[in-house]
Amino acid sequence: MAKVDIAAVQTKIVEKQARWQARANTITQLSDAARKRMLGVVVDQAELAREVAAAKPPAARANAPEAPGAPGFAPAVDWRNRNGNHVTSVKDQGGCGSCVSFCTTALTESMASIEKGQKLDLSEADLHFCSSHGANCSGWWPNNALGEIKNRGIVDEASFPYSSAFTGSGGAPVCKNVANRDDKAVKITNFGALSSATDRKNHLTNVGPCSAVIEVYNDFFAYSSGVYSHVSGALAGLHCVLVIGYSEVDRCWICKNSWGAGWGDGGYFRIAYGQCGIDTTYPFHWATGVKIPGGKWSGWEDLGGIITSRPQAVSWAKDRIDVFARGLDSAVWHRWWDGAGWRGWESLGGLIHGAPAAASWASGRLDIFGIGTDHKLYHKWFQGGWSGWGSLGGFLTSEPAAVSWGPNRIDVFARGGDNCMWHLWWDGARWNGWENLGGQLSSAPAVCSWGANRLDCFVRGLDCQLHHKWWDGSRWSNWEALGGILTDAPAAESWGPNRIDVFVPGTNFHMFHKWWDGTKWNGYEDLGGVLSSGVGVSSWAAKRLDTFVMGTDSHMYHKWYA
């Protein structure tokens, strides 16, 4: 047993005027052999030479502010606080040399958050014990692990928990066969290496974290806080970590380790530039193009027309979509998908400001709403044939939003002359309201419902952020800020219980997606496009979304998720 001598390490830190602190922890109490078993990088020298020679930034950086290889990096980066937290929680590899699987899995999780807006918890056990590596605790090389993630993927942690892997003879690891594995595996599309310091910092600034290899000396096990530099002790082995940022002021890399949150600075550490081979001997490894199983987004489909508002959409049955927009004549125009093809355009008349709104409370039933030139709300419905337009009063300064949470029920929302959100509803017998729901809106509201007597409303506030207010069946909530920078009104839809999908136009004219998965908000996810309006959205089945926008040519465009 050879515990790390903390007092001796602290003495060396003072002697060398190093910028870090040491303390005892569970790892410093282990034997030399036990600590070395945690260091699982095995270098293939020929592969390392090839990677360094071929190292270059990923193609994903073609749109970065600077050309590849040119300085284009920020003075400091930390992906725990870079348009949100894109670093998953610190994990513990235990006494197994599986650090390469932990650092590359962490890389995949971070890129899923950055690219897809989804926080994943993936199975290091699946990668380390069920891949070409084999069911053992020996080491690996990051490039080999990333190749397995690209070709084979990684399942979620719940399907194969790391703690459940050590059930073999004497506690040896085993592979667990996961049912329907291919339907659960998360993959990457591209991976590679970065050699120069400039390329590494450009990537961390513009793309995301990287995995890195470091030489671990005995003093490193005692790291507590500060900027680490080697001061004492022999080389114990090589280790793989996730680099989540850097600081030019402190001249250091910021890293996430896999020795549990009780080690280091909550499981993280900072290491000085040029130390332990992190940026001299070994390249950084990157990954992009995360592919998450399940539905996929289509491209954009041009549905023609010449429209002068954002489209609004609703579905009254499986494989049925009805879309409405204002035309050049300020009338409402209608186009619909009947399960076999797109039909229309059909003029429904009227003379409206902004976009119409649409709701459906039964198969074959449509209710549309528009704001007239007198700022009143007007209503027209279809049930075997179209009605005329009828006035519902009010004094409104935005286009309306409408939804139905049950048979013969309609809820309508719009901004009033006081910039508050106002509510009018049909209870099956008569119209009720208007009800003032407060807020200070700088856009039209959006509304969706995921259950009977449930309403979720979304608006752009005076701060241009997304704000949320909901009715839970007995009372209205306060307003909740959900961030983002919106350039127009939001859109919202629900495909099932406790699920909400919100779409907003961003400052780059792309469509962005934020969603509630039943426990937390996820996103924003950039879905591209070049929008000249807000978004309309409908859903005709679970895990089905159809979005519609006006393009720069005033055509209606369609993008769907299935």
Side-chain angles (χ1 to χ4, degrees), residues 180-201:
N180 302 313
R181 188 188 180 284
D182 290 345
D183 295 333
K184 300 178 179 180
V186 174
K187 298 182 178 182
I188 57 175
T189 304
N190 309 293
F191 66 94
L194 300 167
S195 184
S196 77
T198 296
D199 281 345
R200 298 175 203 231
K201 293 172 187 175

Side-chain angles (χ1 to χ4, degrees), residues 239-497:
H239 187 49
C240 191
V241 298
L242 184 71
V243 181
I244 63 169
Y246 61 88
S247 169
E248 290 290 83
V249 171
D250 293 329
R251 307 293 295 166
C252 70
W253 305 104
I254 306 168
C255 305
K256 172 186 169 183
N257 203 354
S258 54
W259 293 346
W263 178 88
D265 189 0
Y268 296 87
F269 68 96
R270 293 187 292 161
I271 182 170
Y273 293 161
Q275 283 289 313
C276 303
I278 188 170
D279 51 13
T280 53
T281 308
Y282 307 104
F284 283 7
H285 287 89
W286 55 265
T288 59
V290 174
K291 296 186 289 186
I292 298 175
K296 296 181 179 179
W297 282 102
S298 72
W300 289 97
E301 174 189 24
D302 187 344
L303 294 179
I306 298 294
I307 60 176
T308 59
S309 76
R310 68 164 166 171
Q312 293 282 29
V314 69
S315 174
W316 50 255
K318 182 179 179 181
D319 214 9
R320 171 76 190 205
I321 312 169
D322 289 83
V323 190
F324 304 87
R326 184 183 63 184
L328 285 172
D329 55 0
S330 295
V332 176
W333 288 77
H334 175 212
R335 188 156 203 205
W336 62 99
W337 171 263
D338 63 7
W342 284 102
R343 314 300 176 192
W345 296 83
E346 168 192 26
S347 176
L348 299 179
L351 190 63
I352 66 169
H353 286 306
S360 175
W361 52 259
S363 178
R365 171 76 189 204
L366 292 166
D367 289 85
I368 62 172
F369 302 86
I371 305 301
T373 55
D374 55 3
H375 295 283
K376 293 181 180 180
L377 181 69
Y378 285 81
H379 176 215
K380 185 182 183 84
W381 65 93
F382 178 89
Q383 195 161 7
W386 283 105
S387 73
W389 287 96
S391 175
L392 296 177
F395 183 83
L396 307 173
T397 60
S398 79
E399 61 198 40
V403 73
S404 173
W405 52 254
N408 215 3
R409 171 76 190 205
I410 311 170
D411 290 83
V412 185
F413 300 84
R415 183 181 62 185
D418 55 1
N419 290 330
C420 294
M421 185 170 74
W422 289 77
H423 176 211
L424 182 74
W425 64 99
W426 173 261
D427 63 9
R430 65 184 184 278
W431 286 102
N432 302 269
W434 294 82
E435 172 190 22
N436 187 344
L437 295 177
Q440 282 293 291
L441 285 60
S442 64
S443 77
V447 62
C448 69
S449 175
W450 53 257
N453 212 8
R454 171 76 191 202
L455 294 165
D456 287 86
C457 298
F458 301 87
V459 303
R460 183 181 68 174
L462 297 180
D463 55 4
C464 293
Q465 294 186 38
L466 181 68
H467 292 260
H468 175 214
K469 187 182 186 78
W470 62 95
W471 170 261
D472 64 7
S474 60
R475 65 178 183 85
W476 282 101
S477 73
N478 294 322
W479 287 97
E480 170 192 28
L482 295 178
I485 300 294
L486 284 61
T487 57
D488 207 331
E493 181 59 290
S494 173
W495 73 41

